[in-house]
Every structure is written in structure tokens, then in C-alpha cells.
């Protein structure tokens, strides 16, 4: 999201974070804009590729 859908302020403006919750898709962040609009953001997980494990004998 680049702007607030209600007042069109840019996303780099200070938003007040209300809460955040971890989900299977990532982190859901609830925040409010200075205009009072409630915003919901999804920050997706970034998974590292699996690494092969080779035990040493």
C-alpha cells in the first residue's frame, strides 16, 4: 500500500500501530492513519530455501 485510501496520505507518514498478529501467511498489522482510518497490512513471510543436510561419517 502506498497511500491511505481515505485521505491519500503517503505510506511514509506516521501511522499508529494498533496490533500485529502472526498468521500462516505472514504478519497482519492493524494500524490507524492520522485521519482516523483503520488500515490492515499483510507482511508476508520470507522463507529461506531448504538446505541439504549431509551428515559427516
Amino acid at each position: 500500500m502506498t497511500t491511505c485510501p481515505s485521505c491519500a496520505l503517503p505510506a511514509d507518514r506516521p501511522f499508529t500501530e494498533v496490533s500485529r498478529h502472526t498468521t500462516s501467511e505472514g504478519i497482519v498489522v492493524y494500524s490507524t492513519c492520522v485521519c482516523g482510518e483503520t488500515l490492515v497490512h499483510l507482511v508476508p513471510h520470507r522463507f529461506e530455501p531448504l538446505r541439504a543436510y549431509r551428515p559427516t561419517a
Side-chain angles (χ1 to χ4, degrees), residues 9-33:
L9 282 174
D12 61 351
R13 292 288 190 176
F15 292 102
T16 302
E17 186 176 309
V18 177
S19 66
R20 65 176 48 219
H21 306 278
T22 303
T23 67
S24 61
E25 295 294 319
I27 300 172
V28 178
V29 180
Y30 296 88
S31 59
T32 55
C33 180

Side-chain angles (χ1 to χ4, degrees), residues 28-57:
V28 178
V29 180
Y30 296 88
S31 59
T32 55
C33 180
V34 292
C35 71
E37 182 76 20
T38 300
L39 306 168
V40 181
H41 311 278
L42 174 64
V43 181
H45 289 298
R46 294 188 180 166
F47 293 105
E48 295 292 324
L50 292 176
R51 296 174 191 228
Y53 173 71
R54 293 185 184 168
T56 55

